[in-house]
Amino acid sequence: MIDDTVNDGAPRNETADDDLPTMSEDRAHATFLQQLPLLVALVLLWMMLWGSVSVLTILTGIVVALLVTRAFYLPPVELSRRFNPFWAIAFLTRFFGELFVASFQVAALAFAPKGRSRSAIVRVQLRTRADIIMTLTSITISLVPGSLVIEVDRRHAVLYVHVLGASSADDVEEARHHTLSIERLIIAAIGSKAEWELVR
């Protein structure tokens, strides 16, 4: 049986919430340029659903996209406008490498003697509060077999990660360090200069 334990005894990040990089709070609504990628994606989805590329589907797609973005408002996601190809390749290389290795590790755990396999829920305090960084970090961690983000505290930039095979305090600390290293690679690839200075 898997033993799920929550690790709440980890030291909290000393950085105050107000010091974490975040979206400026005086901007209550997204600008047109910020919403443009979402609008384009919705129009393309509309054309795919209809299986047609015509003036009518494009125009109706634009109308539907505008209605959706107004009726179901989402907070604007501010991109840093910074992209580092070297760190992006480093991130992808590590991700696919971990994907390969973790598949065998999870398979080994499946054949472990009954009662020997344990798991833990690890609280990870991220170093940035940027939505795009938190989202990409959560997706990356969840895609690698053996780990899954089960809850996100967006306000305090905290992830709760379920980790298989964590049977000791060292395993828990390793899982926390792993999550922070993934966050660091993503920040190095697409994060702002302020975020990069915070984690480098």
Side-chain angles (χ1 to χ4, degrees):
M1 179 180 292
I2 293 177
D3 178 27
D4 293 331
T5 58
V6 180
N7 183 351
D8 285 328
R12 294 176 178 267
N13 193 322
E14 296 299 327
T15 306
D17 286 345
D18 294 339
D19 295 335
L20 293 172
T22 183
M23 179 184 65
S24 54
E25 297 182 2
D26 58 337
R27 301 183 62 183
H29 299 286
T31 65
F32 177 75
L33 288 178
Q34 288 174 324
Q35 285 194 328
L36 186 59
L38 176 60
L39 293 172
V40 172
L42 289 173
V43 172
L44 291 175
L45 178 61
W46 180 259
M47 290 190 292
M48 289 173 60
L49 289 174
W50 283 98
S52 171
V53 180
S54 64
V55 175
L56 180 61
T57 54
I58 292 174
L59 291 177
T60 54
I62 292 174
V63 172
V64 170
L66 290 173
L67 289 175
V68 168
T69 53
R70 294 301 180 272
F72 303 99
Y73 172 73
L74 293 175
V77 176
E78 292 187 6
L79 302 179
S80 66
R81 299 178 184 176
R82 173 184 167 273
F83 177 74
N84 188 304
F86 172 79
W87 286 110
I89 293 173
F91 164 73
L92 291 175
T93 301
R94 177 170 177 179
F95 170 69
F96 286 112
E98 289 188 358
L99 204 62
F100 178 78
V101 173
S103 299
F104 290 97
Q105 292 175 335
V106 172
L109 286 174
F111 291 99
K114 187 176 181 181
R116 295 286 299 275
S117 179
R118 295 172 63 89
S119 65
I121 298 175
V122 184
R123 179 187 184 277
V124 184
Q125 173 69 64
L126 299 181
R127 290 161 291 188
T128 176
R129 203 163 56 188
D131 288 336
I132 187 68
I133 302 297
M134 280 194 290
T135 300
L136 291 177
T137 302
S138 300
I139 291 173
T140 303
I141 295 299
S142 297
L143 286 176
V144 175
S147 59
L148 177 67
V149 176
I150 60 174
E151 185 178 347
V152 178
D153 184 346
R154 178 173 174 262
R155 181 177 181 183
H156 299 99
V158 173
L159 301 183
Y160 292 90
V161 185
H162 183 270
V163 184
L164 288 177
S167 56
S168 67
D170 289 339
D171 292 335
V172 169
E173 190 57 37
E174 182 181 349
R176 181 179 293 106
H177 176 74
H178 172 260
T179 302
L180 292 176
S181 65
I182 293 296
E183 179 202 25
R184 182 180 184 275
L185 278 176
I186 294 174
I187 289 175
I190 64 170
S192 66
K193 291 182 179 179
E195 289 166 339
W196 176 233
E197 289 297 327
L198 191 65
V199 301
R200 65 183 305 173

